[in-house]
């Protein structure tokens, strides 16, 4: 359960109790509320009609105590302790915790010297123990203790009750924030439109580039096909050009073959002249005298 939800539950509890009591009977409600370890908001209790009626009466001191815990600090108490009732230990601890929240509202880097003065702490060790155990562990602040720089760096601090005179400045701050938010929203919408437009132009450009690439591919493919056709035609043309020469060579070869065969027929006839070398190699016959 977060601290805001706890606050709402405790506030409802004390508002109901304060609404059912009057006069001095409210003293116990004020003391218990300002001593509660988990209650840090009191404006709703201050708005209860019976509590408001304490002003100007002999019990108005309890109304002052409630206002002190709603808007004041520890230094406010010490400077007015003569007209306020003495606080118990739990109330003193609570008021010092609220003092840290008030300081964190105006400055996110709190020097140790300032904190020790506002909280009436005498040494750094006591201050750091208080910030760790009573503030950060309680969940009302988050931050970092910087011992080298002797400061407390606030990262988060719970809000306190607003004084009535602070409402005007708070309304103006919220109004300025809304105006800034509206302007920022318009600026963001313009950026979104610009981004959408640029995205559309980029897609269109990409499509055009892809179409041009496809056109170039088709053109190159067509040129390659034409080149292949031209090469084939050139090869066929070369063959056609060579045909007459080939035919002439064939004719010459045929004529030469005919001539060779003719010579063979002439020299192979019976009774033809015998080769001289063959004649010399044969042994001569002796002639016998005719008797």
């Amino acid at each position: 359960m977060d601290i805001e939800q706890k606050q709402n539950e405790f506030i409802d509890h004390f508002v109901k109790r304060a609404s059912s009591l009057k006069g001095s009977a409210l003293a116990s409600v004020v003391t218990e509320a300002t001593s509660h370890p988990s209650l840090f908001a009191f404006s709703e209790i201050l708005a209860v009609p019976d509590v408001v009626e304490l002003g100007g009466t002999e019990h108005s001191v309890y109304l002052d105590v409630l206002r002190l815990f709603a808007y004041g600090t520890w230094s406010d108490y010490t400077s007015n302790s003569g007209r306020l009732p003495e606080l118990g230990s739990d109330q003193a601890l609570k008021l010092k915790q609220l003092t840290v929240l008030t300081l964190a509202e105006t400055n996110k880097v709190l020097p140790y010297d300032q904190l020790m003065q506002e909280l009436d702490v005498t040494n750094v060790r006591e201050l750091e123990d208080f910030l760790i155990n009573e503030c950060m562990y309680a969940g009302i602040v988050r931050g970092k203790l910087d011992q080298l720089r002797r400061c407390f760096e606030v990262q988060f601090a719970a809000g306190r009750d607003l004084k009535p005179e602070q409402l005007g400045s708070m309304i103006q701050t919220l109004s300025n924030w809304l105006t800034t938010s509206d302007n920022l929203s318009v600026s963001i919408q313009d950026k979104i439109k610009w981004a959408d437009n640029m995205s559309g132009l980029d897609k269109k450009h990409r499509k055009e580039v892809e179409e041009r690439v496809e056109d170039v591919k088709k053109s190159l493919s067509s040129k390659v096909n034409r080149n292949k056709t031209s090469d084939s035609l050139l090869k066929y043309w070369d063959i056609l050009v060579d045909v007459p020469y080939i035919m002439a060579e064939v004719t010459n070869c045929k004529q030469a073959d005919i001539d060779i065969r003719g010579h063979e027929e002439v020299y192979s006839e019976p009774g033809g002249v015998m080769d001289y070398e063959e004649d010399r190699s044969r042994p001569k016959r002796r002639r016998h005298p005719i008797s």
Side-chain angles (χ1 to χ4, degrees):
M1 185 181 298
D2 57 22
I3 187 171
E4 288 81 6
Q5 188 173 353
K6 289 182 178 180
Q7 289 287 301
N8 293 332
E9 292 181 358
F10 296 137
I11 289 170
D12 291 340
H13 168 73
F14 286 108
V15 166
K16 289 178 180 179
R17 287 188 59 188
S19 301
S20 62
L21 301 173
K22 289 183 179 293
S24 61
L26 289 170
S28 62
V29 176
V30 172
T31 302
E32 186 177 348
T34 54
S35 303
H36 197 285
S38 299
L39 183 62
F40 297 92
F42 306 91
S43 59
E44 288 86 351
I45 303 173
L46 279 170
V48 175
D50 292 334
V51 175
V52 175
E53 291 176 358
L54 292 175
T57 68
E58 58 181 342
H59 306 295
S60 62
V61 65
Y62 299 108
L63 181 60
D64 294 336
V65 170
L66 204 53
R67 286 172 177 167
L68 173 66
F69 278 81
Y71 315 122
T73 62
W74 179 255
S75 62
D76 293 332
Y77 170 70
T78 56
S79 61
N80 295 281
S81 58
R83 66 180 187 85
L84 293 172
E86 185 178 355
L87 299 179
S89 59
D90 291 337
Q91 288 176 308
L93 174 62
K94 172 64 65 62
L95 190 55
K96 288 183 178 182
Q97 290 173 318
L98 294 170
T99 300
V100 173
L101 296 183
T102 296
L103 295 174
E105 289 178 355
T106 57
N107 196 349
K108 298 305 178 183
V109 179
L110 304 177
Y112 280 1
D113 293 338
Q114 180 186 7
L115 287 169
M116 287 190 292
Q117 181 179 356
E118 291 291 336
L119 300 175
D120 197 15
V121 176
T122 58
N123 58 75
V124 173
R125 177 62 181 272
E126 184 181 356
L127 173 64
E128 290 181 341
D129 288 344
F130 173 79
L131 292 174
I132 294 172
N133 299 325
E134 308 300 342
C135 296
M136 286 192 277
Y137 282 174
I140 60 175
V141 295
R142 289 196 300 270
K144 177 183 177 182
L145 298 174
D146 191 335
Q147 295 179 333
L148 182 63
R149 296 169 55 200
R150 290 175 56 87
C151 65
F152 177 51
E153 298 179 3
V154 181
Q155 299 172 347
F156 162 80
R160 290 195 65 182
D161 296 308
L162 289 176
K163 297 179 180 180
E165 59 269 22
Q166 290 180 305
L167 291 177
S169 61
M170 179 60 68
I171 292 173
Q172 184 62 44
T173 300
L174 291 174
S175 178
N176 294 338
W177 180 81
L178 287 174
T179 301
T180 303
S181 298
D182 290 339
N183 294 335
L184 181 60
S185 177
V186 172
S187 177
I188 291 174
Q189 292 297 326
D190 292 339
K191 294 293 184 182
I192 291 174
K193 291 180 181 178
W194 177 83
D196 290 340
N197 185 36
M198 293 302 295
S199 177
L201 292 176
D202 181 66
K203 290 180 180 178
K204 181 179 179 181
H205 177 69
R206 186 177 301 177
K207 184 177 180 181
E208 291 176 352
V209 171
E210 291 176 353
E211 291 177 351
R212 291 178 60 186
V213 169
E214 289 298 325
D215 292 341
V216 171
K217 287 181 178 179
K218 292 178 180 179
S219 178
L220 290 175
S221 177
S222 177
K223 288 182 178 180
V224 169
N225 291 333
R226 287 201 299 270
N227 289 337
K228 289 182 178 179
T229 303
S230 299
D231 292 342
S232 299
L233 291 174
L234 287 173
K235 290 179 181 179
Y236 288 131
W237 175 256
D238 291 339
I239 293 173
L240 292 174
V241 169
D242 291 338
V243 165
Y245 300 101
I246 295 172
M247 295 299 294
E249 290 295 331
V250 169
T251 303
N252 292 333
C253 289
K254 287 182 177 181
Q255 185 62 44
D257 184 58
I258 293 171
D259 294 338
I260 290 171
R261 289 181 179 179
H263 287 295
E264 288 178 350
E265 291 175 356
V266 171
Y267 290 106
S268 61
E269 292 179 354
V273 179
M274 184 178 294
D275 185 73
Y276 177 72
E277 292 296 333
E278 182 182 357
D279 182 59
R280 292 182 58 185
S281 63
R282 293 182 177 179
K284 297 182 178 180
R285 295 179 180 177
R286 288 183 182 181
R287 294 183 178 179
H288 297 283
I290 301 172
S291 52

